[in-house]
Structures are given as C-alpha cells and as structure tokens.
Amino acid sequence: MAKKSKKMQEALKKVESTKVYPVAEAIALAKETNIAKFDATVEVAYRLNVDPKKADQQIRGAVVLPNGTGKTQSVLVFAKGEKAKEAEAAGADYVGDADMVQKIQGGWFDFDVVVATPDMMAEVGKLGRVLGPKGLMPNPKTGTVTMDVTKAVNEVKAGKVTYRVDKAGNIHVPIGKVSFDDAKLVENFNTINDVLLKAKPSAAKGQYIKNISVTTTFGPGIHVDQASF
C-alpha cells in the first residue's frame, strides 16, 4: 500500500471518517483539505443502489451547471452545409465531416466534447472504437446528437456536464473548482442532486442513494449527509 504524503496525512486529520457532513460543510471541508498546488476540481461521487447490467436501470444524461465547471471545453462538431456554418457561428472549436474522421483515425484528440448532427452518425460511427472508450461518442441522451448544434455548443461552453453510472453503480461528476465560492459549489451540487433524484429508475428498489461524497482532485473524500438537502 502506497505511503500517504505528509500533506495528505494532515488533511485526513481534519476529516472524521465516520461522520456525514451537511452539504455546505462538506464542500468547505473539501476545499480546506485540498492539497493540490493548482486550482483543483471539486467532484461529487454517488454510490447508487442500481444494477447497471439491466437496461432499465441505466442512468445517463447531461445537465448545465448554473455556475459552470471552471473549465473551458473545446468542442468538435460533425456537420455539413448550413449546419456546419451554424456550428462555427455558435463558437465550435472544430467543425468538419469525413476530414475530421480521418484526422481522428490518425491519432488527433485535441477536443473535449463531440457533437454531431444525426445525418453524420454513419461517418462518426466509424470512430466508435476510439471515441467510445474515451467517453466521447455523441449520444442523443446527452444532447450531443442533435440538429440544434447552436444549443449543443452553447450548453457545453456554459458548463454542461455528462453523467453515467459505471459498472459498480457509481456516478462521478465535477461541480467546479476550489477557487469557486462555496455558495456556487453548493448550487452546482444541488443541481446535480436534483437531476439524479429525478433519474431514479422505476425498477430500482430499496434505498436509491447509498452514499454521497465530495472530494477534490487529490484530497480526501468527505461523506455528505443526505438529510441536509
């Protein structure tokens, strides 16, 4: 087992491992125990009582955080003709069709989000093996396969985040940066929480949310009291 650094040991002393903290207190403590020298990301992690192997218990989607993520994401749009012009006007960083497919097949990945019009998905499908594992494949559920490319690009630039339950029933979502005001992080947290509560599958039985924790890039996890919101 790797030895913890002195900074991490000091940070852990400030966190009671058996305690669940109110949302605002958990976020303040996450910022206080951040040990990164850069403006670290604040992330919330959910452990859900769902079976991701079952199609009716898959949870996936996207939401625009009211205060953004603190990160400017570059957007690649697969579109042709007027839709390509629309994407460029909306502020997409890269726009193309078959030429972009070839570029990516050649190893280019200087983008964070991929948007595509429905008519381009036959071309984009050729990239499934390279985009899929990176979580970059456009999907209607996350609003990245759409004819409204202006809305899609604007939402990404405004702080849109995607969420998807993993094989173990967990969801990890960034809610901002350590430099954010606590109130803004709390508001972003509440937005994510509301969306996930509404996404509860009807097939899920028992306690839906097992636990929630807040952490920073290299900081300790802090358990959140579900009764506090």
Side-chain angles (χ1 to χ4, degrees):
M1 190 173 181
K3 186 178 179 180
K4 294 182 176 66
S5 68
K6 287 185 179 180
K7 284 187 177 180
M8 177 56 89
Q9 289 177 32
E10 288 300 314
L12 287 169
K13 289 179 183 178
K14 299 178 181 179
V15 182
E16 293 183 44
S17 60
T18 58
K19 180 179 177 179
V20 288
Y21 295 83
V23 177
E25 191 177 338
I27 285 174
L29 187 55
K31 291 174 63 175
E32 184 184 343
T33 55
N34 168 52
I35 61 174
K37 293 181 179 179
F38 54 88
D39 191 10
T41 296
V42 180
E43 182 182 87
V44 59
Y46 283 78
R47 186 180 174 208
L48 304 178
N49 184 26
V50 297
D51 185 354
K53 294 179 182 177
K54 296 180 179 178
D56 59 357
Q57 294 188 47
Q58 283 285 333
I59 300 173
R60 182 176 187 179
V63 61
V64 178
L65 298 179
N67 301 298
T69 62
K71 178 185 177 182
T72 301
Q73 300 197 95
S74 58
V75 186
L76 164 61
V77 177
F78 283 97
K80 292 181 179 179
E82 289 302 314
K83 286 298 171 182
K85 293 178 182 178
E86 185 181 322
E88 290 173 350
D93 299 274
Y94 310 100
V95 182
D97 44 74
D99 58 322
M100 285 296 180
V101 172
Q102 292 180 350
K103 195 171 180 179
I104 292 170
Q105 288 174 330
W108 176 73
F109 290 101
D110 293 342
F111 49 87
D112 301 303
V113 180
V114 181
V115 174
T117 53
D119 59 303
M120 285 302 303
M121 285 308 292
E123 281 289 324
V124 179
K126 298 175 183 177
L127 301 170
R129 290 185 178 180
V130 290
L131 293 182
K134 294 178 180 291
L136 293 170
M137 196 67 182
N139 189 295
K141 291 183 178 179
T142 59
T144 48
V145 176
T146 177
M147 288 299 288
D148 194 346
V149 293
T150 296
K151 178 183 177 182
V153 172
N154 287 341
E155 286 185 342
V156 171
K157 295 295 185 180
K160 184 178 184 178
V161 294
T162 59
Y163 56 86
R164 185 177 187 177
V165 67
D166 64 19
K167 294 178 181 178
N170 301 313
I171 286 180
H172 298 265
V173 188
I175 58 170
K177 296 287 186 178
V178 169
S179 60
F180 278 28
D181 291 340
D182 289 11
K184 289 185 177 181
L185 288 169
V186 169
E187 187 177 8
N188 281 353
F189 175 93
N190 288 335
T191 298
I192 289 290
N193 194 68
D194 289 345
V195 168
L196 291 182
L197 285 175
K198 291 175 182 176
K200 178 184 178 181
S202 57
K205 305 301 179 184
Q207 184 179 357
Y208 172 49
I209 299 176
K210 290 184 176 180
N211 60 59
I212 308 170
S213 61
V214 174
T215 186
T216 57
T217 305
F218 296 127
I222 295 145
H223 295 294
V224 178
D225 182 6
Q226 295 183 48
S228 67
F229 51 83

